[in-house]
Amino acid sequence: MNLVEHIKLPILKEMELFEEKFKESMLSKVPLLNRITYYIVRRKGKQMRPMFVFLVAKMVSNGGFDERTYRGASVVELIHTATLVHDDVVDDSNMRRGFFSVNALWKNKIAVLVGDFLLSKGLLLSIDNEDFDLLKLISIAVREMSEGELLQIEKARKLDITEAIYFDIIRKKTATLIAACCGIGAASVGANKDTVQQMRKFGEYIGIAFQIKDDLFDYSDEKIGKPTGIDIKEQKMTLPLIHTLNTCSKKEKAWLINSIKKHNKDKKRVKEVISFVKENGGIEYTITKMYDYKKRAIAILENYPDSEYKKSLLAMIEYVVERKI
């Protein structure tokens, strides 16, 4: 049994039932839409986001549960899937999780419309059931994800990202959705505002650690499914690079910026940049920051009594920072 399956054990029944409810939430009277959503469901990922919803709901309510929790998890997954479909169009990407993306098979126009359909399904699921508190949490996440993407595009043009801006980008781009999952999990079982806010913060810290780990893969020697140096080739400013730019000499900084701006497609030059970042402490610094966010997430869980759900959430934190892909 792998770690993710082990984490899922306390919520196995809920996850199985959720899969059925999630499929139902995607149904349409248009056959083409049903074909596409069936294709999307078949190539699902690890489903970490619904897992966060269920584990947090169970932990804060001492094992309690509510039908609203299923709806909360479905809303998160519908909105998340919509953003992935749209992201593949924006990035002109033909692959997603080793399969052809929706836009690769059905072209951009249909992919954009499918994303819009999934977004509306998520919103209506909350509105029809008057889950306005859950709707607010997910709407904040959608707004912030859009802002984060646009902020990254704006800054990538000038390569003037400071560490503070970098953290603002990843908090909005990646962490805000995991924060929404944890907040929705708590809110779905009637937790008070302070608990919901605390769980949002917990999700945010894990989300930031998750993205930092992703950034580290760009400098990894291991085969992970993502080519080494891809962020540099795409001129993405990640934490190892930002730290190195802030600590090296003026001459070295000019060479680094020139490499990223004008030689980012040169494999030899990209390798030289990776080596320079490694030699100048960029990786060690980034790992320290990742573990700092891991500690912050663990500190929040210390406020809750021991349970199998808390244990799984602690294992989830461990998985996020130690995963190989």
Side-chain angles (χ1 to χ4, degrees):
M1 185 185 292
N2 67 32
L3 184 55
V4 175
E5 285 170 356
H6 192 74
I7 291 166
K8 223 184 259 190
L9 279 177
I11 51 163
L12 209 53
K13 282 181 187 171
E14 287 81 2
M15 287 297 291
E16 283 171 5
L17 191 52
F18 162 73
E19 285 201 27
E20 295 308 311
K21 288 177 182 284
F22 180 55
K23 281 176 199 167
E24 281 171 29
S25 71
M26 284 179 144
L27 285 175
S28 159
K29 288 177 181 171
V30 178
L32 175 61
L33 258 173
N34 287 333
R35 272 204 306 281
I36 296 169
T37 53
Y38 176 71
Y39 176 75
I40 290 168
V41 169
R42 276 185 64 212
R43 57 191 188 99
K44 66 180 186 294
K46 297 181 187 80
Q47 293 190 303
M48 284 175 70
R49 287 157 192 85
M51 285 164 67
F52 274 121
V53 175
F54 293 138
L55 288 169
V56 167
K58 290 269 193 180
M59 182 186 73
V60 302
S61 63
N62 296 318
F65 213 66
D66 196 283
E67 189 62 33
R68 267 169 37 101
T69 313
Y70 285 116
R71 293 200 296 271
S74 291
V75 166
V76 165
E77 204 66 348
L78 282 164
I79 303 289
H80 174 57
T81 308
T83 61
L84 293 183
V85 172
H86 282 165
D87 281 353
D88 287 338
V89 174
V90 171
D91 298 337
D92 201 18
S93 174
N94 289 326
M95 300 299 285
R96 167 72 63 182
R97 295 181 188 132
F99 294 90
F100 283 114
S101 57
V102 173
N103 51 301
L105 292 172
W106 287 279
K107 305 299 174 202
N108 284 349
K109 186 176 180 179
I110 287 175
V112 170
L113 292 168
V114 168
D116 291 347
F117 168 77
L118 294 170
L119 187 66
S120 67
K121 275 284 197 176
L123 300 177
L124 284 167
L125 184 61
S126 292
I127 291 164
D128 291 345
N129 291 283
E130 298 187 5
D131 296 329
F132 299 119
D133 53 340
L134 309 187
L135 181 59
K136 186 176 181 181
L137 287 164
I138 196 66
S139 298
I140 290 167
V142 174
R143 182 194 70 204
E144 291 197 330
M145 284 158 73
S146 307
E147 286 176 348
E149 285 285 357
L150 287 164
L151 182 58
Q152 185 173 52
I153 290 166
E154 180 190 1
K155 293 295 175 183
R157 285 176 184 162
K158 297 177 189 171
L159 298 184
D160 63 345
I161 296 183
T162 62
E163 196 172 304
I165 291 169
Y166 164 82
F167 277 108
D168 193 30
I169 288 169
I170 67 167
R171 184 187 64 76
K172 286 178 170 175
K173 256 190 74 179
T174 305
T176 191
L177 188 61
I178 299 176
C181 294
C182 298
I184 284 170
S188 72
V189 289
N192 61 43
K193 278 185 182 177
D194 287 345
T195 302
V196 172
Q197 206 47 41
Q198 197 177 49
M199 285 297 104
R200 277 194 80 235
K201 213 68 194 158
F202 167 74
E204 185 180 292
Y205 293 152
I206 294 179
I208 291 172
F210 184 93
Q211 187 57 55
I212 294 174
K213 180 70 174 179
D214 254 19
D215 292 352
L216 284 165
F217 284 143
D218 208 44
Y219 296 85
S220 172
D221 297 321
E222 296 171 44
K223 290 192 175 179
I224 50 144
K226 171 188 168 182
T228 305
I230 197 82
D231 289 337
I232 296 165
K233 285 168 195 160
E234 291 175 0
Q235 297 182 326
K236 281 183 187 169
M237 298 290 281
T238 59
L239 193 54
L241 189 56
I242 292 164
H243 176 73
T244 307
L245 281 165
N246 290 340
T247 52
C248 65
S249 70
K250 261 190 173 180
K251 191 180 173 185
E252 289 167 333
K253 188 174 182 175
W255 174 79
L256 271 175
I257 288 174
N258 181 260
S259 300
I260 297 153
K261 274 190 171 175
K262 296 178 180 173
H263 304 279
N264 57 314
K265 300 284 191 279
D266 179 342
K267 284 184 181 178
K268 186 173 176 285
R269 192 73 169 257
V270 168
K271 275 187 177 178
E272 286 170 8
V273 170
I274 289 170
S275 296
F276 186 80
V277 169
K278 285 180 175 178
E279 286 158 18
N280 285 270
I283 306 302
E284 288 89 341
Y285 179 80
T286 303
I287 290 169
T288 303
K289 282 285 184 185
M290 180 178 71
Y291 281 120
D292 177 45
Y293 280 96
K294 175 189 170 180
K295 279 180 198 164
R296 291 190 203 186
I298 290 168
I300 288 175
L301 289 188
E302 282 168 4
N303 299 312
Y304 294 88
D306 288 340
S307 67
E308 56 184 333
Y309 315 111
K310 177 180 169 179
K311 200 174 171 184
S312 276
L313 284 168
L314 286 165
M316 189 83 101
I317 300 169
E318 204 60 39
Y319 167 75
V320 161
V321 297
E322 303 299 340
R323 68 201 160 97
K324 301 294 180 204
I325 187 166

